[in-house]
Amino acid sequence: MNKLNLCLVSIVTSLLLGCSLSGLDQLGNGGAGTSPTGSIDGDPRLVGTWAAPCRTGSGSYEKSVLEITPSAISKRETFYSDSGCTQPVMELTVTASKKLNEVSSSSGTQYELDARANSAKFTSRNPSLVPAFQASSFCGISAWALNVPQEVIGKNCGGTIYFYPGQPVYLWLLTSIDEQSLWLSEDDGDSYNPNARPDLDLVYTYTKQ
């Protein structure tokens, strides 16, 4: 599980248990970067919905969905309280503009993914979280309601900032030879250097829907 997810799990756990929200790592503001050349953003091999199955994280369970358009990418991560991923607790959806540059790979098609975050939304899926979020003005917001997304980009959420507007993120993306499976770098909080992209997570597989 990446640092962002660990922070989210810690925040949710703290609120449910009534603990302090202090002491969580804050995501830093990344530096500016350059867009790749030879981009192929409208490539039909990538455009569409990609879903990954339920997996166990550090004290939580989660499922992820990628939505890729010619100009943007969004990642929706839903966190659950049970191993079957049937009882949702919290959802984080990050949307970013993107540029893709195809590079060679013997195992499929690999891309440099240059993204700039423009939205990060939390949605409470658990009724028990709502009063806790309201009472603590989580992310500086008091108008929390069940299943209603709240924009939190650039906001301090219990000591953690989930991206800044326009913040660059540099990742790798790989599709299988049959173009039905996709793998993405784990954004571990160290993905803000275009020359030092984090390694691909080849365990967690997204399948084209």
Side-chain angles (χ1 to χ4, degrees):
M1 176 178 286
N2 60 45
K3 290 180 182 178
L4 290 178
N5 291 356
L6 283 171
C7 289
L8 178 56
V9 171
S10 299
I11 290 168
V12 171
T13 302
S14 297
L15 284 171
L16 287 175
L17 297 179
C19 302
S20 170
L21 296 178
S22 63
L24 296 177
D25 292 336
Q26 179 170 319
L27 176 62
N29 190 0
T34 58
S35 296
T37 58
S39 60
I40 49 172
D41 299 310
D43 192 327
R45 294 175 295 178
L46 291 175
V47 171
T49 302
W50 301 79
C54 183
R55 70 169 173 176
T56 302
S58 298
S60 74
Y61 308 93
E62 64 181 85
K63 289 197 295 188
S64 293
V65 175
L66 297 177
E67 296 282 354
I68 302 177
T69 72
S71 60
I73 183 170
S74 70
K75 183 178 184 181
R76 184 176 75 248
E77 295 178 285
T78 306
F79 299 86
Y80 299 83
S81 60
D82 65 305
S83 60
C85 288
T86 62
Q87 302 295 321
V89 175
M90 192 73 179
E91 189 172 282
L92 171 63
T93 302
V94 177
T95 304
S97 60
K98 69 168 177 62
K99 289 291 184 182
L100 287 166
N101 184 44
E102 184 175 339
V103 296
S104 60
S105 173
S106 60
S107 56
T109 306
Q110 189 163 333
Y111 304 85
E112 292 176 336
L113 169 60
D114 291 14
R116 288 187 177 271
N118 52 47
S119 175
K121 293 183 178 181
F122 276 149
T123 305
S124 174
R125 299 298 189 193
N126 185 319
S128 300
L129 276 181
V130 174
F133 278 12
Q134 292 171 339
S136 64
S137 291
F138 184 51
C139 304
I141 300 168
S142 59
W144 289 95
L146 186 66
N147 298 325
V148 177
Q150 295 286 353
E151 181 62 68
V152 299
I153 193 167
K155 297 181 182 294
N156 190 320
C157 298
T160 299
I161 295 176
Y162 289 87
F163 299 103
Y164 292 84
Q167 179 175 337
V169 179
Y170 303 100
L171 303 172
W172 289 111
L173 187 151
L174 175 69
T175 56
S176 60
I177 293 174
D178 65 5
E179 300 169 1
Q180 295 303 303
S181 298
L182 180 151
W183 298 269
L184 188 68
S185 294
E186 274 286 346
D187 177 12
D188 58 3
D190 300 316
S191 52
Y192 312 118
N193 181 348
N195 299 313
R197 300 169 193 264
D199 292 338
L200 284 161
D201 180 355
L202 295 177
V203 175
Y204 200 39
T205 302
Y206 292 84
T207 302
K208 196 160 192 179
Q209 303 300 290

